[in-house]
């Protein structure tokens, strides 16, 4: 059974704080192993990469077969049934349309001093996308990472995806093709991250690495951060559903299970203003858990990290939601927009009972790579902004320098940075000569 | 003498690559000390914070005197000479005007399926700004960190600034006041970062920490990353000046020295298409180094990390500049805008000889917290965007779900995520009942 709380419980605050603080993931400390792998890739390049791939993926490659050839990709993609291809195409089109609206605008203006100011945005030149192998090899995640990069204008987008025993996922390759990915390498683990960051003879280095992965991949991303940019280090998935009593308990239960089935460390929370409805949803979950294919995973997640919280009213729900700062937030209430306006911290909001979170995972359009573990307090989901960077621009005229230069001279002096001041003084003096 | 290269040198590529790869900073490994300090602050809160402050800053405080009182701030600010106050006010006004243009816009639209999509931006609730003490206690950096936070709408902005032996910098407090900072604590080091991230009885925790600091502060920021957001870990400052022969060699030399005087690890590079001008600038630097107050620092930086590169033409200069991806880039050429268009990777560009980089440090308007160590390839300077986060929005109608839901069902099945699919199926079925 999940935790069942009411804000009227005498110990509610203590219990809620414990829920917020619960550690859901034991990250094994693999940092020293990862450090060795990275050092080895830096020292021996392709040779080390091929050895690790043989050892971890039981796959014999050569420098020539590290990348999938176009012909191999064509052949694998041809296996994809039409229904799946069409679904992936719809998803790609919708994700692209959403993200195209995120392209930021350059600005340039002249202020009252005559100084021209502004900024401009440029894409990262080369990006690498890590795609997990095996069970967590999600074609939808390829779309969600690759399309924003290509919309941003990244010229060279490389994917690494391990293919243990040589088994590739045709849908992953189709998603890569639909997204415009330029290179696909069949390598994985910390060695793939190291190859993307530092380069080998075969894999040219990239400037930014995104994408999910296991503890080795996460540790490798942390280590190469600075040498290249990385996206967030994602934790296990979470959903918070705020639902009033006028909901179908089965729908809400399925929404909760759609996070729980990801991972035993996932977390599903229901907040409702009706205790009766809360009990109905719990009963519906129990029924569903009898038949779900992933009932072992979903059941463990629900039992260990699930929570049901009964509140007095929806304002209270909004306040608790902001303390949770959920990755996914469903608002299954009569006025979802009104409730949404009372909420500040959430990765993605799904408005109304007709918007199950799963729509956002695939075909809604917004990105499904979202901040976990309460980091929606200070960070955002993946977007075009992760693949662009801003250069600020300033252009003085002699008049502008005369207007604002003296203040710079004073401040430079106050900070004991003499040359800073002199670089302005020399120019101002020439105007007086 | 700095490195003096020409693209015509037979070994230019090797020398340039060596220059790019040169390590300028030896970060002492203080991680284990920092881990202990953080654990101690988490365990003992104010008590530990007061002990560390006594030990490292030789300052006896109590929980009641951790924060500067308004009266103390008033008294310190009253010491600031009018000239400095006015310069700081001008800088604050210009920085605010520039950053107000960065406030991102919310979007909401309805697509052809009838789905409402969009996103909205909200500020981080509470932010903490680390301000170094001693020599590197720059009031300008307070403005550059605090103003974007307040423009973003951060409600609670706390500063920590160590005051060794109780000595405070009145200009730092004035800058905090002008920026609208809410709380100022006289603590520093890893213990201040830990207090901001985890909170103590006196210092409430924040969601995001920015600001420069020494190796202890940098290690602490890395460690608390995830619990809170952090800005970049800044490396030593750099400038690249691209100048043609029609420049005043003294101006260019002063611009180079204005980075070199920051730090012995700073780096100043000149690229020019005139070998004669290159030699003139070197001579001018040597002359200046005889009298500069910080000649020991600036001289060491110029000797150890300075570089002068003679190119055939300015196109070549642009290409080399993109490989350097400089923090600061001055374009002292006849057509700076034209050259700027050929450059992709730079933190800030200063257009034309009337725009010394020092203007950007103080009063230009753009932020002076910029990506170092080639990270302009994938990251941007500090901005309002660092203090806001985006929540994506999606709202389906029954018709929209009917249009795009089936594709989600197919993709969920292909990823073996049954509940994801069922959460859509249950809703679609109800439409057919």
């Amino acid at each position: 059974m999940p935790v069942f709380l009411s804000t009227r419980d005498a110990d509610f605050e203590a219990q809620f704080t414990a829920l917020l603080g619960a550690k859901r993931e034991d990250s094994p400390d693999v940092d020293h192993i990862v450090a060795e792998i990275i050092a080895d890739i830096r020292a021996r390049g392709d040779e080390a990469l091929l050895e690790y791939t043989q050892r971890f993926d039981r796959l014999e490659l050569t420098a020539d077969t590290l990348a999938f050839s176009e012909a191999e990709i064509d052949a694998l993609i041809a296996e994809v049934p039409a229904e799946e291809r069409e679904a992936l195409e719809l998803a790609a089109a919708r994700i692209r349309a959403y993200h195209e609206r995120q392209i930021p605008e350059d600005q340039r203006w002249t202020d009252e001093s005559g100084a021209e100011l502004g900024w401009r945005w440029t894409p990262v030149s080369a990006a690498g996308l890590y795609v997990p192998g095996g069970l967590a090899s999600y074609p939808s995640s390829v779309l969600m990472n690759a399309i924003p990069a290509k919309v941003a204008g990244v010229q060279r987008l490389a994917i690494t995806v391990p293919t243990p025993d040589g088994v590739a996922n045709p849908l992953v390759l189709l998603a890569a093709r639909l997204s415009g990915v330029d290179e696909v390498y069949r390598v994985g683990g910390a060695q793939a991250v190291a190859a993307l960051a530092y380069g080998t003879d075969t894999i040219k280095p990239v400037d930014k690495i995104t994408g999910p992965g296991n503890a080795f991949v996460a540790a490798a991303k942390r280590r190469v951060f600075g040498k290249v940019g990385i996206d967030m280090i994602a934790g296990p998935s979470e959903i918070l559903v705020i639902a009033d009593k006028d909901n179908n308990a089965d729908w809400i239960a399925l929404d909760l299970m759609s996070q729980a089935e990801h991972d035993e460390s996932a977390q599903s929370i229901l907040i409702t203003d009706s205790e009766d409805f809360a009990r109905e949803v719990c009963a519906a979950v129990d029924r569903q858990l009898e038949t779900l294919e992933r009932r072992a995973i979903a059941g463990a997640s629900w039992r260990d990290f699930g929570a049901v919280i009964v509140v007095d009213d929806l304002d209270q729900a909004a306040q608790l939601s902001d303390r949770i700062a959920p990755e996914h937030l469903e608002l299954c209430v009569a006025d979802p927009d009104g409730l949404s306006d009372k909420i500040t911290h959430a990765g993605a909001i799904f408005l109304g009972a007709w918007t199950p979170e799963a729509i956002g995972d695939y075909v809604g359009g917004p990105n499904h790579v979202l901040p976990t573990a309460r980091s929606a307090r200070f960070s955002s989901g993946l977007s075009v902004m992760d693949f662009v960077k801003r250069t600020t621009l300033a252009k003085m005229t002699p008049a502008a320098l005369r207007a604002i230069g003296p203040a710079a001279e004073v401040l430079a002096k106050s900070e004991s940075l003499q040359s800073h001041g002199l670089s302005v003084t020399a120019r101002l003096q020439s105007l007086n000569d």
Side-chain angles (χ1 to χ4, degrees), chain A residues 96-118:
Chain A
R96 187 172 294 115
Y98 183 92
H99 287 80
E100 278 171 351
R101 291 178 181 250
Q102 293 179 328
I103 299 171
E105 279 180 24
D106 297 349
Q107 280 208 43
R108 184 96 178 239
W109 66 93
T110 304
D111 72 13
E112 65 288 353
S113 77
E116 275 183 63
L117 298 172

Side-chain angles (χ1 to χ4, degrees), chain A residues 34 37-39 41-42 189-200 209 220 224:
Chain A
V34 165
I37 293 174
I38 294 174
I41 295 288
R42 290 184 69 175
Q191 60 272 22
V193 174
L196 288 171
Y198 289 97
T200 69
I209 299 175
V224 301

Side-chain angles (χ1 to χ4, degrees), chain A residues 103-426:
Chain A
I103 299 171
E105 279 180 24
D106 297 349
Q107 280 208 43
R108 184 96 178 239
W109 66 93
T110 304
D111 72 13
E112 65 288 353
S113 77
E116 275 183 63
L117 298 172
W119 62 77
R120 64 168 200 226
W121 295 92
T122 46
V124 168
S125 293
L129 163 55
Y130 188 90
V131 181
L135 200 62
S137 177
Y138 296 139
S140 57
S141 290
V142 174
L143 301 182
M144 292 291 181
N145 279 270
I147 290 174
K150 279 294 176 180
V151 168
V154 171
Q155 288 223 319
R156 179 179 156 247
L157 178 57
I159 279 188
T160 60
V161 55
T163 58
D165 301 307
V167 179
N169 181 341
L171 276 169
V172 162
L173 291 161
L174 177 56
R177 176 68 62 82
L178 293 175
S179 311
V181 167
D182 302 290
E183 303 160 15
V184 186
Y185 298 99
R186 50 191 131 210
V187 293
Q191 60 272 22
V193 174
L196 288 171
Y198 289 97
T200 69
D201 284 341
T202 306
I203 303 181
K204 273 182 278 179
V206 302
D207 303 304
K208 176 117 188 181
I209 299 175
T210 70
N214 62 19
F216 291 87
V217 172
K221 280 169 69 182
R222 268 189 198 275
R223 280 213 159 247
V224 301
F225 173 53
K227 167 69 181 166
V228 299
I230 63 168
D231 62 341
M232 64 197 87
I233 307 282
S237 197
E238 316 144 8
I239 191 170
L240 168 59
V241 181
I242 300 180
D244 59 27
K245 68 177 169 36
D246 299 322
N247 272 284
N248 182 317
D250 280 314
W251 296 8
I252 302 302
L254 283 167
D255 297 351
L256 295 168
M257 288 306 98
S258 73
Q259 290 309 301
E261 74 177 347
H262 266 296
D263 189 333
E264 292 181 2
S265 307
Q267 182 165 52
S268 304
I269 302 177
L270 169 67
I271 300 184
T272 175
D273 55 0
S274 160
E275 181 165 345
D276 287 345
F277 184 70
R279 306 228 174 256
E280 274 181 65
V281 172
C282 289
V285 167
D286 289 344
R287 276 196 309 278
Q288 288 163 7
L289 280 175
E290 289 172 19
T291 59
L292 284 179
E293 289 158 12
R294 291 189 177 228
R295 58 183 171 275
I297 293 169
S301 158
W302 181 240
R303 182 190 65 226
D304 295 341
F305 303 113
V308 176
I309 303 173
V310 180
V311 291
D312 287 337
D313 53 46
L314 295 178
D315 278 358
Q316 220 173 37
Q319 288 158 22
L320 295 179
S321 178
D322 263 353
R323 292 178 64 190
I324 295 169
E327 180 190 13
H328 303 102
L329 174 61
E330 273 189 27
L331 301 180
C332 299
V333 298
D335 178 16
D337 285 286
L339 185 56
S340 164
D341 286 343
K342 296 179 181 165
I343 287 164
T344 308
H345 309 307
I349 297 182
F350 302 87
L351 297 155
W354 291 103
T355 319
E357 184 278 330
I359 283 293
D361 282 335
Y362 296 114
V363 294
N367 210 289
H368 79 196
V369 181
L370 292 164
T372 57
R374 303 187 63 223
S375 63
R377 292 175 295 124
F378 53 81
S379 64
S380 309
L382 198 70
S383 78
V384 167
M385 304 300 287
D386 291 284
F387 298 98
V388 295
K389 64 269 187 329
R390 186 187 44 241
T391 298
T392 60
L393 302 170
K395 185 180 192 176
M396 298 294 129
T397 58
L401 196 67
R402 203 180 258 139
I404 67 174
E409 292 176 283
V410 169
L411 293 173
K413 191 169 181 193
S414 80
E415 294 184 354
S416 302
L417 292 172
Q418 186 191 18
S419 297
H420 283 66
L422 288 175
S423 71
V424 177
T425 307

